[in-house]
Amino acid sequence: MSKLRWGMIGGGHGSQIGPAHRLGALADGRFEFVAGALDHRPEKGRAYAQRLGIGADRAYGDWTEMLAGEKDRDDRVDLVTVATPNATHFEITKAFLEAGFNVLCEKPMTMSVEEGQDIVRVAEASGKICAVNYCYSAYPMVRQARAMVRAGEIGKVRLVVTNFAHGHHGDATDADNPRVRWRYDPDMAGASGQFADCGIHALHMASFICDDEVEKLSADFASTIASRQLEDDAMVNFRMSGGAVGRLWTSSVAIGRQHGFDIQVFGETGGLRWASEQPNQLIYTPVGGRTQIIEKGEAGLHADAQRLSRVSIAHPEGFPLAVANIYCDLADAIAGEPRDGLPNAAAGLRSMAAVHGAVASARAGGAWVDARPPMFR
Amino acid sequence: MSKLRWGMIGGGHGSQIGPAHRLGALADGRFEFVAGALDHRPEKGRAYAQRLGIGADRAYGDWTEMLAGEKDRDDRVDLVTVATPNATHFEITKAFLEAGFNVLCEKPMTMSVEEGQDIVRVAEASGKICAVNYCYSAYPMVRQARAMVRAGEIGKVRLVVTNFAHGHHGDATDADNPRVRWRYDPDMAGASGQFADCGIHALHMASFICDDEVEKLSADFASTIASRQLEDDAMVNFRMSGGAVGRLWTSSVAIGRQHGFDIQVFGETGGLRWASEQPNQLIYTPVGGRTQIIEKGEAGLHADAQRLSRVSIAHPEGFPLAVANIYCDLADAIAGEPRDGLPNAAAGLRSMAAVHGAVASARAGGAWVDARPPMFR
Amino acid sequence: MSKLRWGMIGGGHGSQIGPAHRLGALADGRFEFVAGALDHRPEKGRAYAQRLGIGADRAYGDWTEMLAGEKDRDDRVDLVTVATPNATHFEITKAFLEAGFNVLCEKPMTMSVEEGQDIVRVAEASGKICAVNYCYSAYPMVRQARAMVRAGEIGKVRLVVTNFAHGHHGDATDADNPRVRWRYDPDMAGASGQFADCGIHALHMASFICDDEVEKLSADFASTIASRQLEDDAMVNFRMSGGAVGRLWTSSVAIGRQHGFDIQVFGETGGLRWASEQPNQLIYTPVGGRTQIIEKGEAGLHADAQRLSRVSIAHPEGFPLAVANIYCDLADAIAGEPRDGLPNAAAGLRSMAAVHGAVASARAGGAWVDARPPMFR
Amino acid sequence: MSKLRWGMIGGGHGSQIGPAHRLGALADGRFEFVAGALDHRPEKGRAYAQRLGIGADRAYGDWTEMLAGEKDRDDRVDLVTVATPNATHFEITKAFLEAGFNVLCEKPMTMSVEEGQDIVRVAEASGKICAVNYCYSAYPMVRQARAMVRAGEIGKVRLVVTNFAHGHHGDATDADNPRVRWRYDPDMAGASGQFADCGIHALHMASFICDDEVEKLSADFASTIASRQLEDDAMVNFRMSGGAVGRLWTSSVAIGRQHGFDIQVFGETGGLRWASEQPNQLIYTPVGGRTQIIEKGEAGLHADAQRLSRVSIAHPEGFPLAVANIYCDLADAIAGEPRDGLPNAAAGLRSMAAVHGAVASARAGGAWVDARPPMFR
């Protein structure tokens, strides 16, 4: 299995989403990171790309340079990720699709509906993949929820209720912080603030799990911090094609909420609940029955949920990244910058001494024994 | 930054821990997977290694072949991971250390204390890194706990209480399943069952967070399923060098527990609590004060916790792996096996139509509007 | 302190809310239950009242009889609770107020706004107490939330979000059950179903904690089970006089939710969260700071929260009712109907033997000792 | 149904447990509080008893006076509760049993095993009820757990694990507080501190749910605050007659734990978990199946759990006490001390205006409407 070639536009040093894309692309060893235009400052972008292991010839200064450089190569990238500021998604995505590249675009895909329709047509004409990073829909237990709804396990969907609320923009004294301010400035963010930023994840997930589309909606927007032109809090009621009622609340001033994304789906014969902070579990209640906890990795999950579960049931969601942190510390140590926390051979030895001590103690009816390795006594 | 070269022994097709090592090593793009002896069946191991992208010359049939093949190369691996059956850890780790390789060994590092002392001496003599995969200690908020204890933020530690309990071996009718049985057979697992398998993670973490060593202990072991020679449930009381009292319960027959690893540390001026199922949070209570929730990624964390947090505070622990799942689906799609759940351009377009619909509705006092893109009406 | 005299109208045998009123009135020993018209079937009502210890002369057949009987007594009731079907609340409450009684009326107080205005005027003219049983507002930690908001501890309120969702009417096959059906029948329930039944608890609590009134609102109602004329799911957006934005979702088809009443209040300098299923805790986050858990009974609570906490901090919310259950079993046992679970002297003895056994074992370094009392060996 | 007559010894003004006994005895209207010797200071006890509504002739100065006064009355108390300091439980309980009274004794029933045996014999000889207030065993879902175990629903019990940990004595600077100190002073508390104080609740519950007795045990006690002679932290391993393994941890220095009482029972075919902070739920996992949440009040509970559930499933555990708080405020208001939080007629009216406003808005497609009653506009 040779690796696919991957390139990224945006996501440079200090980017919030860039590291998640790199980890996402590299984690399974199926992509090789070979090209990038990572920063709007060409020199910084080229330098950072090379620090990440990209060859100098494919460390591009901007996306046009990258498009020009890649499009005629035999070993052109198999996939381009677009992780640039929102307003640029459209033209970059369109250009790469037209040149025959597969594209993964950060959300929102475009700023206007017209641009969106344009992308749909271009993608179709190109025959290439155009994906949007609604990544919450790729959690195994979200896939399980979708599969259960499609299999009729909760009956016809009556109601879907979803929230995406955080409080990270709740401090009015921080409202002029540039990392915050642009989100509520129509010149930079477009027509919508918090709903376009987080709410659309929730709306997508409602469609995704219900396997149905939003048909009409009614919205109430509020700018609870007066200096904001765009909403920092929104409630959207909607109806889906199949008749389901929808409720969506999103907020960035919900002080105390960190990652408050959850969804509940209620059908004629059952209800489902999932939350991003307990991603390992899907809560299921059959009508008239007891609530059940469906665990990631358990036997009998739908195929898509099983395929994406990665580690076996005894290991919680964050486990592989804890292993990755061990490798981080190892890389640093190999590079001559040892990290304090790396478990060493002495730690391994102490464990064995404790194991043998415990065996001896248990055999002696719980007698207290020295737990230290002889060499450390 | 050129990549470090990484090789693995064991962890082949169907292995439980192999995928976590691969993801851990590859996730940050700092290692390249270049060599492996992945299976005790030489041909299967060679084939699987090549499927994972390793060159035919470094897809080895067994670890001795790998040692011979690597030790004289200029581009020899910078790190070897040993993920073989427990009884083989000692000789492989020792051999690679003696040949001057850095080693990450799965736990338990050895079967006996004597072997463990041997490894400590060999590692020291070699000047090479010998690490043990106590990966739970690498969660950011575990590092935060350790840093807080070391900084005196809970005062002198009085008491540490830790549990690692699951129920995956609680079915007596499944006790002869080979994946279960060996763990309770002294010929294969050594002197201890569940305590050596899971309990030592908890014991290591007690030492790790308290920054102190276990001095003496008293154990009560039980084989609650009669056919088992080794314990499937254990309670260990211990005392640390600094005087702290310790309590450790571990079980594999705790039916209903999935990933039940938690630790509580109580000092003179405060208490801490962490659980593997809520890895994003460290719970802290100052004596006489209110319980506080310390969030991964928040401002003011100790340096080591901050460094290993990976994604910003608004993203929960599993987030990067959800992104990785999107890339999995993309790799499949590019390879001609499209996956149903991948969010496509139509999904991106529908979001934009909903955003603009919501803006229009909010401006019109909540009037109901069509939320569909014109092209899909 | 002599007891106050209490009477109840409605709340007879099989009533859902009657037992909670009796327990509520009797729990603190401040009221004596001396009069009642408990059932719309006079004979059943009289009989049940007498079974509950009410004298035959004050066991009334209906409320008019009770009004006539009580109004000229010197020892007339000090308080009348009205727990009859909703449509009768108005006339009963009005009549008792006009006759100079204090009244506690179940919600909703009336069916129409005009009736409600009438009650307000009558209550004011009478100089008597007219209270409505929005009992959730009497949880200690709800009082604490209100006191914190009033004291400015979260700054000016920006946003309040509250949900009251359950799934007990989610089974369409049970929709004709008379205990369910009347709630969705305008002839019996009035203009609104679920919003009038549960939503108003949430709306009252929003006003109560924010110490402000709802000024305007926009609602979306749905009857997700087709046979229902009234809504079983509702979303209400509102604005308060002080400018706060409000969001309220209520549902009776949220299958899997049991007692899903929660409220979040977000102000300029902090956020609060309370849920009826964790009533002992109020979650508080100061802007830019860590989330804190405020515990019922902790030192420094506002006076009203402290006064109503009942048992000290080491005892959870349900504790006094567990004690009450012991007394239930005792009453049965004294009445000659012994209950299996009542802890007896043998249980008390076994505990002492275990305590002394544990002391002896601990002194002997954990030696195993017989834990049984000599007389039971 | 005439009421039973109840008297209490101890539990006077400022007592921690007295209010829970009064509420417990009075809540269901089955007992009348007619006699008491509430304080070791005779005058204070007599005065407090009369404040609580007891007649002057039965407001006794001490327990001997009460015994003398009650034993020859025709209307003698049907039940005496003993809630005095631990060291006095034995002689009071014994004396009342011998005089033919039913007794509910606070735990611990006695200080020594010999005394305990004496009580068992006296109780048996008297034919009277001698109960011990292990009140946690009276939670409905604890009764459900016991019934499930007895019905074989989790098979033969293999393992029971229980914790009762709090941190209220974790402040060494408060260790001389008299309310804390006596618990660790052998002259006042007897042979054991925390294990006798809290641990025995957990040990009783293990026996209660498993319907089996503790046969032998091994203990590890620690005084983590140096000034204490008795243990403030204990671990007890035990074995039950039926072969089940037991683990019990109890602590009073677990800073941050408030009411940390929980129990897990693991059998051959299933596991159960209950915690005092989520008393409404019993968590059940059948071997090889999904975890289920059993809710207080659901259809199909065992009889004893159903009988003690008090309020229907839609009402959480604390609900009746919130209603009781409304009655507290009413009693104060009637007594001329109005409380701020009592919901009044204006609150009832505002709700009706909101309901009718919401109906109108929903009918008008979500149009914003005035939500205020006309008289308050």
Side-chain angles (χ1 to χ4, degrees):
Chain A
M1 190 177 73
S2 68
K3 293 193 180 191
L4 297 169
R5 291 174 297 270
W6 175 60
M8 180 159 62
I9 303 168
H13 186 68
S15 151
Q16 222 178 2
I17 199 69
H21 276 287
R22 290 203 305 277
L23 190 152
L26 299 177
D28 295 284
R30 300 183 65 179
F31 290 94
E32 194 173 6
F33 191 14
V34 299
L38 304 183
D39 204 301
H40 65 282
R41 294 156 301 185
E43 280 320 304
K44 287 198 182 287
R46 285 192 194 101
Y48 189 59
Q50 290 179 68
R51 274 183 51 209
L52 294 175
I54 292 174
D57 59 326
R58 300 175 89 173
Y60 299 104
D62 64 30
W63 71 267
T64 57
E65 195 178 304
M66 179 161 157
L67 179 59
E70 291 293 315
K71 74 175 191 311
D72 299 321
R73 294 180 73 111
D74 286 344
D75 63 348
R76 52 151 46 185
V77 289
D78 295 296
L79 176 70
V80 176
T81 291
V82 179
T84 54
N86 295 349
T88 65
H89 291 175
F90 169 64
E91 72 174 331
I92 303 174
T93 296
K94 186 177 177 185
F96 275 83
L97 284 170
E98 287 177 335
F101 290 90
N102 298 306
V103 177
L104 171 64
C105 183
E106 255 307 320
K107 46 109 284 214
M109 186 176 76
T110 62
M111 298 301 279
S112 74
V113 178
E114 294 69 27
E115 290 168 354
Q117 297 195 145
D118 209 358
I119 292 288
V120 169
R121 288 189 199 101
V122 169
E124 195 167 318
S126 73
K128 290 296 162 184
I129 296 163
C130 177
V132 184
N133 191 30
Y134 290 122
C135 56
Y136 292 96
S137 66
Y139 276 95
M141 298 317 277
V142 173
R143 299 286 176 106
Q144 172 72 11
R146 173 176 163 99
M148 288 178 71
V149 171
R150 294 172 88 166
E153 297 180 36
I154 64 165
K156 188 168 184 299
V157 175
R158 292 172 177 161
L159 176 66
V160 54
V161 180
T162 180
N163 303 298
F164 197 145
H166 68 79
H168 298 296
H169 305 157
D171 185 356
T173 67
D174 188 46
D176 286 335
N177 177 336
R179 290 181 80 112
V180 173
R181 197 190 46 204
W182 75 268
R183 297 173 190 271
Y184 305 101
D185 178 347
D187 290 342
M188 302 179 75
S192 164
Q194 173 64 12
F195 183 62
D197 191 27
C198 293
I200 59 172
H201 273 298
L203 201 72
H204 176 264
M205 195 177 286
S207 286
F208 185 79
I209 293 180
C210 297
D211 199 24
D212 196 2
E213 300 300 341
V214 174
E215 199 169 88
K216 59 177 184 168
L217 60 77
S218 163
D220 179 27
F221 280 15
S223 299
T224 71
I225 291 187
S227 61
R228 290 175 179 164
Q229 290 181 264
L230 299 177
E231 87 286 357
D232 52 17
D233 187 274
M235 181 74 216
V236 177
N237 289 304
F238 56 94
R239 296 293 184 278
M240 306 194 85
S241 304
V245 172
R247 319 272 183 218
L248 185 161
W249 170 53
T250 187
S251 188
S252 66
V253 295
I255 297 170
R257 303 286 294 255
Q258 303 293 343
H259 333 283
F261 186 9
D262 59 62
I263 188 161
Q264 302 174 75
V265 183
F266 305 107
E268 291 178 338
T269 61
L272 293 172
R273 182 154 44 101
W274 181 85
S276 66
E277 295 216 46
Q278 284 84 37
N280 297 308
Q281 284 85 30
L282 178 66
I283 311 301
Y284 163 59
T285 313
V287 70
R290 286 177 185 158
T291 292
Q292 301 174 11
I293 301 172
I294 309 180
E295 292 279 341
K296 184 172 73 72
E298 73 174 36
L301 292 188
H302 285 276
D304 213 33
Q306 202 60 277
R307 178 177 62 87
L308 295 170
S309 289
R310 300 178 160 275
V311 283
S312 64
I313 190 170
H315 300 92
E317 185 65 77
F319 183 84
L321 297 183
V323 176
N325 283 348
I326 292 283
Y327 280 91
C328 267
D329 281 359
L330 280 164
D332 286 341
I334 293 169
E337 190 183 0
R339 297 292 180 180
D340 155 73
L342 187 65
N344 59 14
L349 167 59
R350 285 185 189 276
S351 294
M352 285 324 293
V355 165
H356 286 273
V359 170
S361 171
R363 284 183 185 153
W368 286 85
V369 300
D370 195 325
R372 296 170 298 176
M375 73 188 286
F376 292 159
R377 284 180 195 174
Chain B
M1 190 177 76
S2 66
K3 294 194 180 190
L4 297 169
R5 293 173 296 271
W6 174 61
M8 180 158 64
I9 303 166
H13 186 68
S15 150
Q16 222 179 1
I17 200 67
H21 276 286
R22 290 203 305 277
L23 190 151
L26 298 176
D28 295 283
R30 300 182 66 178
F31 289 94
E32 197 172 7
F33 190 16
V34 299
L38 304 184
D39 205 299
H40 66 281
R41 295 156 299 185
E43 278 323 303
K44 287 199 182 282
R46 284 192 194 99
Y48 190 58
Q50 290 178 68
R51 275 184 48 209
L52 295 175
I54 293 175
D57 58 327
R58 299 175 88 173
Y60 299 103
D62 64 32
W63 71 267
T64 56
E65 195 180 305
M66 178 162 158
L67 179 59
E70 290 293 315
K71 74 175 192 308
D72 299 321
R73 293 181 73 111
D74 286 342
D75 64 348
R76 54 154 41 190
V77 290
D78 294 296
L79 176 70
V80 176
T81 292
V82 179
T84 54
N86 294 348
T88 65
H89 291 177
F90 168 65
E91 72 174 328
I92 303 175
T93 297
K94 184 176 177 185
F96 276 83
L97 284 171
E98 287 176 336
F101 290 90
N102 297 306
V103 178
L104 171 64
C105 183
E106 255 307 320
K107 46 111 291 218
M109 186 176 76
T110 62
M111 299 300 278
S112 75
V113 179
E114 294 67 30
E115 289 168 354
Q117 297 195 146
D118 207 358
I119 293 287
V120 168
R121 288 189 199 101
V122 168
E124 196 169 318
S126 74
K128 291 295 161 185
I129 296 164
C130 177
V132 183
N133 191 29
Y134 290 122
C135 55
Y136 292 96
S137 66
Y139 274 97
M141 299 316 278
V142 172
R143 298 286 176 105
Q144 172 69 12
R146 173 176 162 99
M148 288 179 71
V149 171
R150 294 172 88 166
E153 296 180 37
I154 64 165
K156 187 168 184 301
V157 174
R158 291 171 178 161
L159 176 65
V160 53
V161 180
T162 180
N163 303 298
F164 197 145
H166 67 80
H168 298 295
H169 306 157
D171 185 356
T173 66
D174 189 46
D176 285 334
N177 177 336
R179 289 180 81 111
V180 173
R181 195 189 48 205
W182 74 267
R183 297 172 191 273
Y184 306 101
D185 177 347
D187 289 341
M188 302 179 74
S192 164
Q194 173 63 10
F195 183 62
D197 191 27
C198 292
I200 60 170
H201 273 298
L203 200 72
H204 176 264
M205 194 176 287
S207 286
F208 185 78
I209 293 180
C210 298
D211 198 24
D212 196 3
E213 299 301 341
V214 174
E215 200 168 87
K216 59 178 184 167
L217 61 76
S218 162
D220 179 28
F221 281 14
S223 300
T224 72
I225 292 186
S227 62
R228 289 175 180 164
Q229 289 183 264
L230 299 178
E231 86 286 357
D232 53 17
D233 186 275
M235 180 74 216
V236 177
N237 290 304
F238 56 93
R239 295 292 185 278
M240 306 192 85
S241 305
V245 172
R247 318 270 183 221
L248 185 162
W249 171 54
T250 188
S251 188
S252 66
V253 294
I255 296 169
R257 303 284 294 256
Q258 302 294 343
H259 332 282
F261 186 9
D262 60 61
I263 187 162
Q264 303 174 75
V265 183
F266 304 107
E268 290 178 338
T269 62
L272 293 171
R273 182 153 46 99
W274 181 85
S276 65
E277 294 217 47
Q278 284 85 37
N280 296 308
Q281 284 84 31
L282 178 66
I283 310 302
Y284 163 58
T285 312
V287 70
R290 286 178 186 158
T291 292
Q292 300 173 14
I293 301 172
I294 309 180
E295 290 280 342
K296 184 173 74 73
E298 73 173 36
L301 292 188
H302 285 275
D304 213 33
Q306 203 60 277
R307 178 175 64 87
L308 295 170
S309 289
R310 302 180 159 271
V311 284
S312 65
I313 189 170
H315 300 91
E317 185 64 76
F319 183 84
L321 297 184
V323 176
N325 284 348
I326 292 283
Y327 280 91
C328 267
D329 280 358
L330 279 164
D332 286 342
I334 293 169
E337 190 183 0
R339 296 291 180 180
D340 154 75
L342 187 66
N344 59 12
L349 166 59
R350 285 185 189 276
S351 292
M352 285 324 293
V355 165
H356 285 273
V359 170
S361 171
R363 284 184 185 152
W368 285 85
V369 301
D370 195 324
R372 295 169 299 176
M375 72 188 289
F376 291 160
R377 285 180 195 174
Chain C
M1 192 177 73
S2 67
K3 293 193 180 190
L4 297 170
R5 291 174 296 272
W6 175 60
M8 181 159 62
I9 303 168
H13 186 67
S15 150
Q16 222 178 2
I17 199 69
H21 277 286
R22 289 203 305 277
L23 190 152
L26 300 177
D28 295 284
R30 299 182 65 179
F31 290 95
E32 196 172 6
F33 190 16
V34 299
L38 304 183
D39 204 299
H40 67 281
R41 296 156 299 185
E43 279 322 302
K44 287 199 182 284
R46 284 191 195 104
Y48 190 58
Q50 290 178 69
R51 273 183 51 209
L52 295 174
I54 292 175
D57 59 326
R58 300 176 87 174
Y60 300 103
D62 63 32
W63 70 267
T64 56
E65 195 179 304
M66 179 161 156
L67 179 59
E70 291 292 315
K71 74 176 192 308
D72 298 321
R73 293 182 73 112
D74 286 344
D75 63 347
R76 53 158 36 192
V77 290
D78 294 296
L79 176 69
V80 177
T81 291
V82 179
T84 54
N86 294 350
T88 66
H89 291 175
F90 169 64
E91 70 174 332
I92 304 175
T93 297
K94 186 176 176 184
F96 275 84
L97 284 171
E98 287 176 335
F101 289 90
N102 297 305
V103 177
L104 172 64
C105 183
E106 256 307 321
K107 46 112 288 221
M109 185 175 76
T110 63
M111 299 301 279
S112 74
V113 178
E114 294 67 29
E115 290 167 354
Q117 297 196 144
D118 209 358
I119 293 288
V120 168
R121 287 190 199 101
V122 168
E124 196 168 319
S126 74
K128 291 295 161 185
I129 296 164
C130 177
V132 183
N133 191 30
Y134 290 123
C135 56
Y136 292 96
S137 66
Y139 275 96
M141 299 317 277
V142 172
R143 299 286 176 105
Q144 172 71 11
R146 172 176 163 99
M148 288 179 71
V149 170
R150 295 172 88 167
E153 296 180 37
I154 64 165
K156 187 168 184 299
V157 174
R158 291 171 177 162
L159 177 65
V160 54
V161 180
T162 180
N163 303 299
F164 196 145
H166 68 80
H168 299 295
H169 305 159
D171 184 356
T173 67
D174 188 46
D176 285 334
N177 177 336
R179 290 181 80 111
V180 173
R181 196 189 48 205
W182 74 268
R183 298 172 189 273
Y184 305 101
D185 177 347
D187 289 342
M188 301 178 75
S192 163
Q194 173 64 11
F195 183 61
D197 191 28
C198 292
I200 60 171
H201 273 298
L203 200 72
H204 176 264
M205 196 177 286
S207 286
F208 185 79
I209 293 179
C210 297
D211 199 24
D212 197 1
E213 300 300 341
V214 173
E215 199 169 87
K216 59 177 185 169
L217 61 76
S218 163
D220 180 27
F221 281 15
S223 299
T224 70
I225 291 186
S227 62
R228 291 177 178 162
Q229 289 182 261
L230 299 178
E231 86 285 357
D232 54 17
D233 187 274
M235 181 74 215
V236 177
N237 289 304
F238 56 95
R239 296 293 185 277
M240 306 193 86
S241 305
V245 172
R247 318 270 183 220
L248 185 162
W249 170 54
T250 187
S251 189
S252 66
V253 295
I255 296 169
R257 303 284 294 255
Q258 302 293 344
H259 333 282
F261 185 8
D262 60 60
I263 187 162
Q264 303 174 75
V265 183
F266 304 107
E268 290 179 338
T269 61
L272 293 171
R273 182 154 45 99
W274 181 85
S276 67
E277 295 218 46
Q278 283 85 35
N280 297 308
Q281 284 84 31
L282 178 66
I283 311 301
Y284 163 58
T285 313
V287 70
R290 285 177 185 158
T291 292
Q292 301 173 13
I293 301 172
I294 309 181
E295 290 281 341
K296 184 172 74 71
E298 74 173 36
L301 292 188
H302 284 276
D304 214 34
Q306 202 60 277
R307 177 175 63 87
L308 295 170
S309 289
R310 300 178 162 272
V311 282
S312 65
I313 190 170
H315 300 91
E317 186 65 76
F319 182 84
L321 298 184
V323 176
N325 283 348
I326 292 284
Y327 280 91
C328 268
D329 281 359
L330 279 164
D332 286 343
I334 292 170
E337 191 183 359
R339 297 291 181 181
D340 154 74
L342 186 66
N344 59 14
L349 167 59
R350 285 186 190 276
S351 292
M352 284 325 294
V355 166
H356 285 274
V359 170
S361 172
R363 284 184 185 152
W368 286 84
V369 301
D370 194 323
R372 296 170 297 174
M375 73 187 290
F376 293 158
R377 285 180 194 173
Chain D
M1 188 178 76
S2 66
K3 294 192 181 191
L4 297 170
R5 291 174 297 272
W6 175 59
M8 180 160 62
I9 302 167
H13 186 68
S15 150
Q16 221 179 3
I17 198 69
H21 276 287
R22 289 202 305 277
L23 191 152
L26 299 177
D28 295 285
R30 299 183 65 180
F31 289 94
E32 196 173 7
F33 190 16
V34 299
L38 305 183
D39 204 298
H40 65 281
R41 295 157 301 186
E43 279 321 304
K44 287 198 182 285
R46 285 192 194 101
Y48 189 60
Q50 291 178 67
R51 276 184 49 209
L52 294 175
I54 292 175
D57 59 325
R58 299 174 88 172
Y60 299 103
D62 63 32
W63 71 267
T64 56
E65 195 179 303
M66 179 162 157
L67 179 59
E70 291 293 315
K71 74 177 193 308
D72 299 320
R73 295 180 72 110
D74 285 343
D75 63 347
R76 52 155 42 190
V77 290
D78 294 297
L79 176 69
V80 177
T81 292
V82 179
T84 54
N86 294 349
T88 66
H89 291 175
F90 169 64
E91 72 175 328
I92 303 174
T93 296
K94 185 176 177 186
F96 276 83
L97 284 170
E98 287 176 335
F101 290 89
N102 297 305
V103 177
L104 171 63
C105 183
E106 256 306 321
K107 46 110 290 214
M109 185 176 76
T110 62
M111 299 300 279
S112 73
V113 178
E114 293 69 27
E115 290 167 353
Q117 299 195 144
D118 208 356
I119 293 289
V120 169
R121 288 187 199 103
V122 168
E124 197 168 317
S126 73
K128 291 295 160 184
I129 296 163
C130 178
V132 184
N133 191 30
Y134 291 121
C135 55
Y136 292 96
S137 66
Y139 274 97
M141 299 316 278
V142 173
R143 298 286 176 104
Q144 173 70 11
R146 172 176 163 100
M148 289 178 71
V149 171
R150 293 172 88 167
E153 296 180 36
I154 64 166
K156 187 167 185 300
V157 175
R158 290 170 177 161
L159 176 66
V160 53
V161 181
T162 180
N163 302 298
F164 197 145
H166 68 80
H168 298 295
H169 305 157
D171 185 356
T173 67
D174 189 46
D176 286 336
N177 178 335
R179 289 180 80 110
V180 173
R181 196 190 47 205
W182 74 266
R183 297 171 190 274
Y184 304 100
D185 177 347
D187 290 342
M188 301 178 74
S192 164
Q194 174 63 12
F195 182 62
D197 191 27
C198 292
I200 59 171
H201 273 299
L203 200 72
H204 176 263
M205 195 177 287
S207 285
F208 185 79
I209 293 180
C210 297
D211 199 22
D212 196 2
E213 301 300 339
V214 173
E215 198 168 88
K216 59 178 184 166
L217 59 77
S218 162
D220 180 27
F221 281 15
S223 299
T224 72
I225 291 188
S227 61
R228 291 176 177 162
Q229 290 182 262
L230 299 177
E231 85 286 357
D232 52 17
D233 188 274
M235 182 74 214
V236 176
N237 290 304
F238 56 94
R239 295 294 184 278
M240 306 193 84
S241 305
V245 172
R247 318 273 184 216
L248 184 161
W249 171 54
T250 188
S251 188
S252 65
V253 296
I255 296 170
R257 302 286 294 256
Q258 303 294 343
H259 333 282
F261 186 10
D262 59 61
I263 188 161
Q264 302 173 76
V265 183
F266 305 106
E268 289 178 340
T269 62
L272 293 171
R273 182 154 45 101
W274 181 86
S276 66
E277 295 217 44
Q278 283 87 34
N280 297 308
Q281 284 84 30
L282 179 66
I283 311 302
Y284 163 59
T285 313
V287 71
R290 286 178 185 158
T291 292
Q292 301 173 13
I293 300 172
I294 308 180
E295 290 280 341
K296 183 173 74 70
E298 73 174 36
L301 292 188
H302 285 277
D304 213 33
Q306 203 59 278
R307 178 176 64 87
L308 295 170
S309 289
R310 303 180 160 272
V311 284
S312 64
I313 190 171
H315 301 92
E317 186 64 75
F319 182 84
L321 297 184
V323 176
N325 284 348
I326 293 284
Y327 280 91
C328 267
D329 280 0
L330 280 165
D332 286 342
I334 292 170
E337 190 183 1
R339 297 292 180 180
D340 156 74
L342 187 65
N344 59 14
L349 167 59
R350 285 185 190 276
S351 293
M352 284 324 293
V355 165
H356 285 273
V359 170
S361 171
R363 285 183 185 153
W368 285 85
V369 300
D370 196 323
R372 296 170 298 176
M375 72 187 290
F376 292 159
R377 283 181 195 173

